[in-house]
């Protein structure tokens, strides 16, 4: 049997920016820029202060610190990765791919480790793609969606990916990078059951932090099994919903397909679980086209996937956090506010009587079929019936706006970035930060970004 763990370690250690397709680099820059803006918006959430207060350690004496974003406050590398990682995911506004949220895990880990290591932008961009490719390779070996077994892929696969990225930044050789991933495999955890609570974003921050720790310990000499990923009692087997993971398939870096080019990144237009986005697009299209008001609507029927509804566990949300995992809320917000934005994902809006009144009117039909390379249904659709008996159908929506297949323009990307930074930042600072993020590999280091926004 091929040693997948060691082969991936060799791939990570040998990877250079010049080997990566230009399209892959462009996608990575977009993900880093989007995540940085979302992270700043998320840093205002009360959960960030809570985690920082309880776990924001300064690090070992004499160790190089890393910065919290956007304040620039120094923390230990592991703590910075954790806190920034929670901030990157707390709004559920971060990008989506590989059945999870790659940038929310990778970017905080890379910025923290990169700052402490004095890494250049080019080195950090390479590390991002190394982590993305490791994540994609592991996911491609599992035929069933991990969500079906209750796993949060961002937390379980993201931990290994973050370890790979940090091993790259630490300059570990093949065995060292493999060891870091093997250590991370024993630190992988995260449950779908905690969706709709603070713990969901904590799981993502913890994955970033665990990747930093795993690479640090590997470099310090902690040992781990160099087949921890593919062993019959290893990570792939443990995670597999049906026990059918492809553990023995050889990995050949020279012949590999670039996952970042094939899968790309889906940039979120709404700060809510991505399982709702196609249905939101469909519902907003109907509401705008037929000028529908809440009082005029008798019922809303959504056709979606079984796995998507498993993620959307809250049928009667009462808080903004719960609403992020509710298709009922997504439809209500589209109808009542004619948008689903940060202003709608608040406790006050969720509890408005006209919003709550929509929830019982939403019904579903589901399919177990999934798109290639995704846990989602091949398409979503929405049907709205009015009290006069008229029925309006959206037709199937295969790709959400902002997806890899229907990407946002550069202007739209900047619009989201500027909105995330908010009124407290001058327009010139927003523009300068965004432009530099979109040329990330030309930066001298992670500290340049913090300096620009202080």
């Amino acid at each position: 049997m091929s040693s997948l763990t060691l082969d991936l370690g060799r791939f990570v250690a040998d990877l250079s920016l010049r080997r990566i397709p230009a399209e892959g680099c462009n996608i990575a820059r977009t993900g880093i820029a989007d995540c940085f803006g979302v992270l700043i918006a998320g840093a205002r959430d009360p959960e960030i202060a809570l985690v920082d207060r309880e776990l924001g350690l300064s690090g070992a004496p004499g160790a190089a610190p890393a910065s919290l974003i956007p304040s620039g406050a120094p923390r230990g590398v592991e703590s910075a990765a954790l806190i920034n990682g929670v901030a990157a995911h707390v709004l559920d506004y971060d990008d989506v791919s590989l059945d999870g949220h790659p940038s929310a895990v990778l970017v905080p880990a890379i910025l923290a480790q990169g700052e402490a290591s004095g890494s250049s932008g080019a080195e950090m961009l390479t590390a991002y793609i190394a982590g993305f490719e490791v994540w994609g390779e592991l996911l491609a070996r599992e035929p069933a969606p991990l969500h079906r077994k209750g796993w949060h892929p961002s937390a379980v696969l993201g931990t290994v990916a973050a370890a790979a990225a940090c091993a790259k930044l630490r300059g570990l050789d093949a065995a060292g990078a493999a060891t870091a991933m093997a250590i991370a495999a024993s630190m992988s955890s995260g449950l779908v059951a905690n969706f709709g609570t603070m713990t969901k974003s904590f799981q993502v921050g913890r994955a970033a932090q665990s990747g930093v720790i795993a690479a640090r310990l590997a470099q310090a000499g902690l040992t781990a099994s160099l087949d921890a990923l593919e062993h019959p009692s290893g990570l792939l087997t443990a995670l597999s919903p049906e026990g059918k993971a492809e553990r023995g398939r050889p990995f050949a870096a020279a012949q590999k397909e670039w996952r970042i080019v094939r899968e790309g990144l889906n940039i979120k237009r709404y700060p809510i679980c991505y399982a709702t986005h196609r249905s939101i697009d469909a519902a907003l299209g109907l509401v705008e086209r037929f000028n529908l008001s809440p009082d005029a609507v008798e019922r809303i029927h959504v056709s979606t996937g079984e796995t998507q509804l498993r993620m959307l566990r809250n049928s009667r949300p009462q808080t903004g956090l719960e609403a992020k995992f509710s298709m009922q809320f997504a439809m209500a917000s589209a109808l009542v506010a004619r948008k689903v934005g940060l202003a709608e994902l608040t406790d006050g809006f969720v509890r408005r009587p006209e919003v709550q009144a929509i929830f019982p009117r939403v019904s579903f039909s589901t399919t177990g079929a999934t798109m290639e390379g995704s846990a989602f249904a091949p398409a979503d659709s929405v049907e709205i019936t009015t009290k006069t008996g008229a029925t309006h159908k959206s037709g199937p929506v295969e790709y959400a706006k902002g997806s890899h297949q229907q990407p946002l323009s550069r202007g739209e990307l900047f619009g989201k970035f500027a909105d995330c930074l908010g009124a407290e930042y001058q327009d010139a600072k927003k523009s300068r930060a965004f432009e530099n993020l979109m040329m990330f590999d030309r930066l001298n280091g992670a500290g340049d970004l913090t300096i620009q926004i202080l």
Side-chain angles (χ1 to χ4, degrees):
M1 180 180 293
S2 173
S3 176
L4 175 63
T5 310
L6 192 52
D7 288 345
L8 286 175
R10 189 173 298 109
F11 164 74
V12 170
D14 292 345
L15 186 62
S16 63
L17 196 59
R18 65 178 180 273
R19 288 181 51 202
I20 301 167
E23 183 181 354
C25 292
N26 288 335
I27 292 168
R29 293 185 195 102
T30 298
I32 292 169
D34 182 71
C35 183
F36 196 82
V38 170
L39 196 166
I40 291 175
R44 305 180 184 108
D45 192 276
E47 182 180 348
I48 311 310
L50 184 159
V51 175
D52 187 23
R53 182 180 68 243
E54 299 299 326
L55 299 175
L57 306 177
S58 60
S67 301
L68 296 187
I69 298 171
S71 70
R75 295 290 185 272
V77 180
E78 293 88 352
S79 294
L82 169 66
I83 297 162
N84 289 336
V86 176
H89 192 55
V90 69
L91 299 178
D92 234 292
Y93 208 6
D94 47 306
D95 62 39
V96 176
S97 187
L98 304 178
D99 274 3
H101 302 269
S103 294
V105 178
L106 293 173
V107 171
I110 288 166
L111 290 178
Q113 184 61 66
E115 183 178 1
S117 299
S119 304
S120 68
E123 290 168 334
M124 289 186 286
L125 189 72
T126 304
Y128 177 100
I129 295 170
F132 192 103
E133 293 300 313
V134 166
W135 187 330
E137 180 63 31
L138 295 179
L139 183 68
R141 290 168 179 267
E142 175 49 60
L146 295 179
H147 294 90
R148 290 185 181 175
K149 200 177 182 182
W151 294 120
H152 184 190
S154 300
V156 293
L157 298 182
T159 301
V160 180
C166 291
K168 184 65 181 175
L169 291 174
R170 284 180 170 271
L172 301 188
D173 62 12
T179 299
M181 289 185 281
I183 295 170
S186 283
M187 304 172 78
S188 298
S189 184
L191 302 175
V192 172
N194 273 318
F195 283 17
T197 72
M198 291 181 178
T199 297
K200 181 176 188 275
S201 54
F202 178 74
Q203 291 174 170
V204 169
R206 187 68 166 165
Q209 181 191 50
S210 295
V212 172
I213 292 172
R216 175 183 175 183
L217 291 175
Q219 189 168 45
L222 190 75
T223 64
S225 298
L226 295 182
D227 60 355
L229 300 177
E230 73 275 10
H231 190 276
S233 298
L235 182 68
L236 289 175
T237 299
L239 295 178
S240 184
E242 300 170 0
K244 296 179 180 178
E246 296 181 88
R247 298 181 296 107
R249 174 162 54 83
F251 173 80
Q255 287 82 44
K256 77 176 300 298
E257 179 180 30
W258 290 94
R259 306 286 176 184
I260 196 165
V261 173
R262 175 177 174 175
E263 304 298 335
L265 290 172
N266 304 302
I267 303 299
K268 282 190 169 185
R269 298 177 73 236
Y270 316 115
I272 186 171
C273 180
Y274 199 60
T276 65
H277 281 223
R278 296 184 301 182
S279 295
I280 293 173
D281 284 348
L284 286 174
L286 292 176
V287 169
E288 292 168 4
R289 180 180 176 187
F290 297 102
N291 194 26
L292 300 174
S293 66
D295 291 341
V297 171
E298 179 71 28
R299 61 183 179 273
I300 302 172
H301 186 80
V302 181
S303 299
T304 188
E306 292 176 359
T307 301
Q308 288 161 262
L309 277 192
R310 189 173 287 112
M311 302 176 202
L312 304 171
R313 54 172 293 165
N314 300 318
S315 60
R316 300 291 185 273
Q318 298 299 310
T319 69
L321 267 177
E322 292 174 351
K324 288 178 181 291
F325 299 91
S326 172
M327 185 68 86
Q328 287 86 348
F329 171 80
M331 296 298 99
S333 184
L335 186 59
V336 173
R338 297 195 173 199
K339 59 190 179 76
V340 185
L342 292 173
E344 288 69 55
L345 270 299
T346 62
D347 295 354
F349 182 84
V350 174
R351 293 172 184 162
R352 282 171 56 173
E354 61 268 39
V355 173
Q356 293 280 320
I358 300 297
F359 297 166
R361 304 183 210 172
V362 182
S363 62
F364 304 96
S365 57
T366 62
T367 176
T370 59
M371 301 178 73
E372 182 181 357
S374 172
F376 289 2
D380 287 4
S381 62
V382 172
E383 181 179 297
I384 299 179
T385 301
T386 68
K387 291 179 179 178
T388 63
T391 298
H392 306 295
K393 300 180 180 181
S394 69
V397 179
E398 187 176 2
Y399 299 112
K401 296 174 183 176
S403 66
H404 181 49
Q405 293 80 10
Q406 294 193 50
L408 301 181
S409 68
R410 190 181 181 97
E412 289 169 327
L413 287 168
F414 175 69
K416 176 183 174 181
F417 182 84
D419 186 51
C420 284
L421 266 61
E424 63 197 84
Y425 293 98
Q426 297 177 351
D427 290 345
K429 281 194 172 184
K430 294 176 184 177
S431 296
R432 186 167 61 250
F434 181 76
E435 292 303 322
N436 281 321
L437 283 160
M438 295 298 284
M439 298 185 295
F440 188 77
D441 42 314
R442 299 184 188 181
L443 295 177
N444 292 322
D448 289 357
L449 296 171
T450 304
I451 291 170
Q452 290 168 19
I453 60 177
L454 289 178

